[in-house]
Amino acid sequence: MNRKVLLIEPNYKNKYPPMGLMKLATYYRMVGDDVRFYKGDMRSLAVELICDDLINHLSIILPEIFWKNYYPTLFEFIKLGKYAILEADPIFEDEIVLDAVKEYRKKYKDKEYFTKPRFDKVGITTLFTFYWDITIDTINFAKQLCKKPEDVMVGGIMSSLLKDEVYAATGIEPFVGLLNHPGDIDPGNKLIIDELPLDYSILEEIDYVYPANNAYFAYMTRGCVNKCKFCAVPKLEPQYCDYINLKNRIEFTDKRFGARKDLLLLDNNVLASKCYDQIIDEIKECGFGTGATYTPPNEYDVTINNLKDSYNDRAYIRKAISIYKEIMGKLKDDTEKTELYLKLEEAHCLYYYTASKEDILGLDEYVRPLYEKTHKPSKRKRIVDFNQGIDSRLITEANMKKLAEVNIQPLRIAFDHWSLRDIYEKSIRTAVKSGIKNLSNYLLYNFEDKPEELYYRLRMNVDLCEELGASIYSFPMKYHPINDKEFFMNRDYIGKHWNRKFIRAVQAVLNSTKGKIGRGVDFFEEAFGCDIDEFMKILWMPETFIIYRRIYDADLRNRLADRYTTVTKHDCDLTNEWWEKFKALPPDKLEKAKAIIALNKFKDGDFVCDDKEINDVLAYYKITRDDTENNQ
């Protein structure tokens, strides 16, 4: 077909790469299309397109000059239009050159990339609904890069949940759910896109590095047998599928892209599968049994082989340049390092924007021994992670014993509400009894729970760690509605038992614990309080006092004196000063004060109160982080 295909992930931060786009990339390459992946500022993509055209144009009119060397300068000028950018190099004094550069700057200003679109297919993925603004802006920009509106594809979580809203905002009819039928993209094509292996090469095309970047990403089941009302899975994957082959996809990945260290499975309820034992056995066959290790592949070989196969030249040119920099950094002999630099400079292979496939392949005989000299891979432990968690209600001794046959780390178990405490505790004990001692859990809050129930769940995990000798990391997760028009575009939803101040207090604590709570009673009690009364005190506490408790709370310093061995001149006891005034308020004034504090707006003018006692309490909430840091 030889279509030009652009696949885009909006420029939000996320941990995992876009599996949907990686499957689409595989599909389009299989049918012979030219695929490009982009994640970043969309206007920078437009500059790249114009800049590439300019370099091609200059190479035709003045072929004796290697114009790719001027890419950074041309990029900046096209983007900003400042002539000072060109003044540093006399080549731009040439009238022919300057006229060409000005012409292509005008093309950018006139948005020629919209009026003369160059892509036959444009696909945009979507993630969480609270990324609404950046996602809609990306779609509205990207759709103009496509030759025909009907060839713009939008899919993923947000667009599946908010199909009508996305259509109203963009004019693009999204795909809903999975591409799990033949002909979903091209009528008559029998490939099922959702079952295709991932194209990991596209991740080399971009500057963004996903935190989880050395794993196989896969599903072995789809959907969930539960219909939890806070969960989007029933809408995204309405049909439960008991088994999806993993082995073939891993074999494809190993051969084309090199082996990955870990196995990250995004199944929503693997324990519900009738093929559960088969799934675990297949995971073992794929090299993830108990004690499994991994030796990193020869990334240089992977890069050269893919360039020879013309498999995503754009990606593997960038990868080759990255490998050259690694080698340069690891060479200890300055003579070798200098010689390599000169070789790369001569071949125009110091930068990805100047390098060509032919030049990289021409350097192979020289570079390969240097790579083998500087890269001595060692074995590492492999892990399996059912990242979405497993259902505590379905845990048995039999399925935990089976799960212990693979390198599960951690075992994630949801603990969504306090009413599940007996089932949850039994599931933890069963897992530990089976030899699985590295555990994690998600704690949903701000839904229908009460604040104290979050504390009880956290406390239970800490106590179970101590009793069982296990490691249980808890990750509190704030609930956001997925279909409420008032809240799906933001993170402003407040549950009926919560208020804005409580939400901020929990987030302030989690910021200091880096979002998770693990083993250690002292650590937990410092963060969340030694009992429910202290936890409720922390929720009402001024945010700056929460963040800098060691400075402001003398009682805490005394209680943990063996840990707080450093005293600064700024240590004080404002926390207890505030607390005494807070508690001393008469009931009617206390309720009025709480109503103001619950809004979590403490700047002058954000609230009106003419009561001196209440204002004396509210004054502590105006102490900011900057006040503290400026006094350090």
Side-chain angles (χ1 to χ4, degrees):
M1 293 184 182
N2 200 26
R3 296 170 293 193
K4 287 190 175 297
V5 179
L6 175 64
L7 303 177
I8 298 171
E9 180 174 58
N11 199 26
Y12 39 60
K13 291 183 179 180
N14 52 321
K15 185 175 182 180
Y16 305 118
M19 292 176 65
L21 294 185
M22 294 166 81
K23 292 175 184 178
L24 279 172
T26 298
Y27 171 78
Y28 282 117
R29 289 194 210 286
M30 290 176 75
V31 298
D33 293 330
D34 175 25
V35 183
R36 179 173 187 156
F37 174 55
Y38 187 79
K39 180 181 178 73
D41 177 69
M42 293 303 296
R43 295 195 181 279
S44 291
L45 172 61
V47 176
E48 283 184 28
L49 299 174
I50 297 292
C51 192
D52 288 344
D53 290 347
L54 172 57
I55 287 174
N56 289 335
H57 175 70
L58 290 170
S59 297
I60 292 171
I61 61 174
L62 292 169
E64 66 274 15
I65 298 172
F66 189 72
W67 287 104
K68 288 183 179 180
N69 280 333
Y70 297 92
Y71 183 88
T73 301
L74 296 172
F75 183 97
E76 285 302 304
F77 179 75
I78 290 171
K79 182 179 180 180
L80 302 175
K82 296 181 178 179
Y83 286 92
I85 295 169
L86 306 177
E87 290 172 359
D89 199 308
I91 199 168
F92 295 109
E93 295 175 4
D94 185 297
E95 188 174 339
I96 294 175
V97 173
L98 186 59
D99 285 347
V101 173
K102 289 163 66 175
E103 177 189 350
Y104 279 80
R105 161 64 185 173
K106 187 174 186 300
K107 288 176 184 282
Y108 174 70
K109 283 185 68 178
D110 293 345
K111 300 182 179 179
E112 189 183 84
Y113 46 87
F114 288 158
T115 58
K116 296 181 180 179
R118 62 195 72 194
F119 294 100
D120 301 293
K121 286 277 189 178
V122 173
I124 308 105
T125 189
T126 66
L127 193 57
F128 302 124
T129 60
F130 49 75
Y131 289 142
W132 173 268
D133 288 344
I134 189 172
T135 303
I136 295 301
D137 288 347
T138 300
I139 296 170
N140 281 329
F141 189 103
K143 71 183 183 183
Q144 299 176 82
L145 300 174
C146 193
K147 294 176 182 176
K148 298 178 182 178
E150 61 266 29
D151 288 322
V152 178
M153 307 170 291
V154 175
I157 295 174
M158 188 188 92
S159 61
S160 292
L161 297 175
L162 302 171
K163 175 188 174 185
D164 293 341
E165 290 80 1
V166 169
Y167 177 75
T170 67
I172 304 298
E173 187 80 32
F175 287 93
V176 174
L178 309 175
L179 296 172
N180 56 355
H181 304 94
D184 274 336
I185 296 292
D186 296 315
N189 189 296
K190 295 182 179 180
L191 290 172
I192 298 176
I193 293 170
D194 192 51
E195 296 178 1
L196 294 178
L198 308 185
D199 184 346
Y200 289 85
S201 75
I202 69 171
L203 308 183
E204 304 292 349
E205 293 185 58
I206 58 175
D207 294 327
Y208 187 85
V209 178
Y210 296 92
N213 57 23
N214 192 8
Y216 303 98
F217 300 93
Y219 292 87
M220 295 193 75
T221 64
R222 278 291 201 178
C224 181
V225 294
N226 300 321
K227 306 296 179 186
C228 301
K229 55 185 176 181
F230 56 78
C231 184
V233 172
K235 294 185 178 181
L236 298 172
E237 303 172 24
Q239 300 299 319
Y240 188 76
C241 173
D242 282 290
Y243 170 74
I244 301 171
N245 177 277
L246 175 70
K247 190 174 182 180
N248 292 344
R249 285 174 288 160
I250 284 188
E251 288 174 349
F252 175 88
T253 300
D254 290 352
K255 183 177 179 180
R256 174 59 70 184
F257 310 112
R260 314 277 118 170
K261 176 177 172 288
D262 300 324
L263 174 59
L264 196 148
L265 294 162
L266 286 87
D267 300 59
N268 293 295
N269 198 336
V270 69
L271 293 185
S273 174
K274 297 173 185 176
C275 304
Y276 173 77
D277 284 358
Q278 178 186 349
I279 286 171
I280 301 302
D281 287 339
E282 188 168 343
I283 290 171
K284 288 162 60 180
E285 287 177 33
C286 291
F288 289 90
T290 304
T293 58
Y294 153 91
T295 301
N298 186 315
E299 292 190 339
Y300 182 79
D301 265 348
V302 171
T303 299
I304 294 300
N305 289 339
N306 279 309
L307 285 172
K308 287 179 177 178
D309 288 348
S310 295
Y311 191 97
N312 198 348
D313 289 350
R314 185 181 296 105
Y316 287 106
I317 287 172
R318 291 178 67 117
K319 182 64 176 178
I321 304 307
S322 172
I323 289 174
Y324 296 158
K325 290 178 181 178
E326 283 181 15
I327 296 172
M328 195 90 69
K330 291 183 177 183
L331 282 173
K332 296 179 181 178
D333 187 306
D334 288 342
T335 302
E336 280 187 315
K337 192 178 292 189
T338 300
E339 185 179 340
L340 173 59
Y341 181 90
L342 292 174
K343 287 272 191 184
L344 296 176
E345 184 179 44
E346 183 183 4
H348 304 296
C349 287
L350 287 174
Y351 309 102
Y352 74 87
Y353 51 82
T354 59
S356 71
K357 176 170 71 172
E358 292 72 24
D359 287 330
I360 290 169
L361 294 177
L363 288 168
D364 181 31
E365 186 175 344
Y366 175 77
V367 171
R368 185 177 294 275
L370 295 177
Y371 179 86
E372 293 170 353
K373 177 180 179 178
T374 54
H375 289 71
K376 304 292 184 183
S378 58
K379 288 185 177 181
R380 306 177 195 173
K381 180 181 177 182
R382 272 188 152 172
I383 65 168
V384 179
D385 181 3
F386 282 96
N387 187 261
Q388 301 302 98
I390 63 173
D391 190 341
S392 61
R393 292 162 291 191
L394 299 180
I395 285 178
T396 65
E397 289 191 11
N399 58 33
M400 286 300 97
K401 183 179 178 181
K402 188 68 179 176
L403 188 60
E405 295 177 9
V406 299
N407 266 357
I408 186 77
Q409 185 179 325
L411 172 59
R412 303 179 190 270
I413 304 176
F415 191 6
D416 290 323
H417 45 88
W418 183 234
S419 63
L420 284 173
R421 58 189 177 275
D422 292 338
I423 294 171
Y424 174 77
E425 180 178 351
K426 182 181 177 183
S427 72
I428 293 291
R429 293 184 183 279
T430 301
V432 172
K433 183 180 176 181
S434 301
I436 302 172
K437 293 192 173 184
N438 190 315
L439 302 109
S440 172
N441 62 79
Y442 302 116
L443 304 177
L444 185 73
Y445 70 97
N446 190 48
F447 182 51
E448 295 177 349
D449 58 308
K450 296 179 180 178
E452 53 266 35
E453 292 172 356
L454 174 61
Y455 180 87
Y456 293 144
R457 286 180 284 164
L458 289 167
R459 183 85 213 197
M460 174 183 279
N461 281 325
V462 172
D463 292 341
L464 285 171
C465 283
E466 295 297 310
E467 179 190 345
L468 302 176
S471 174
I472 307 173
Y473 279 97
S474 299
F475 293 87
M477 298 180 67
K478 179 173 174 275
Y479 170 73
H480 303 284
I482 57 176
N483 53 8
D484 188 317
K485 292 185 178 181
E486 184 179 353
F487 298 109
F488 67 70
M489 299 182 191
N490 56 55
R491 305 191 189 200
D492 296 338
Y493 177 78
I494 304 296
K496 61 183 177 181
H497 298 297
W498 290 78
N499 61 53
R500 201 164 301 281
K501 174 63 180 71
F502 287 2
I503 294 293
R504 277 299 308 156
V506 170
Q507 291 170 340
V509 174
L510 291 176
N511 285 341
S512 66
T513 67
K514 298 183 179 178
K516 61 184 180 182
I517 301 91
R519 295 184 68 170
V521 172
D522 286 347
F523 175 79
F524 170 75
E525 291 186 350
E526 177 183 355
F528 286 94
C530 60
D531 55 29
I532 191 62
D533 291 334
E534 188 173 7
F535 175 67
M536 296 306 296
K537 172 183 172 181
I538 291 170
L539 293 184
W540 287 112
M541 188 181 291
E543 184 174 327
T544 304
F545 294 2
I546 297 173
I547 296 169
Y548 297 102
R549 287 193 72 196
R550 299 184 183 190
I551 292 176
Y552 288 107
D553 194 335
D555 284 350
L556 185 72
R557 291 197 300 272
N558 292 333
R559 193 170 84 211
L560 301 175
D562 57 329
R563 294 174 60 194
Y564 296 169
T565 55
T566 302
V567 178
T568 76
K569 64 181 180 179
H570 305 294
D571 286 352
C572 61
D573 198 20
L574 285 182
T575 295
N576 286 315
E577 187 180 297
W578 154 78
W579 184 236
E580 292 304 318
K581 291 183 180 180
F582 183 90
K583 291 190 300 179
L585 289 173
D588 58 329
K589 293 187 179 184
L590 181 60
E591 288 306 307
K592 185 175 181 180
K594 284 184 175 180
I596 294 172
I597 295 167
L599 298 175
N600 201 45
K601 295 182 178 180
F602 303 114
K603 293 181 180 179
D604 291 333
D606 282 343
F607 64 88
V608 177
C609 181
D610 55 7
D611 187 285
K612 184 180 182 307
E613 279 187 281
I614 295 176
N615 281 327
D616 284 347
V617 171
L618 296 177
Y620 293 96
Y621 292 84
K622 296 181 181 181
I623 299 173
T624 67
R625 299 190 207 185
D626 289 341
D627 294 333
T628 306
E629 291 169 0
N630 291 336
N631 288 325
Q632 292 283 356

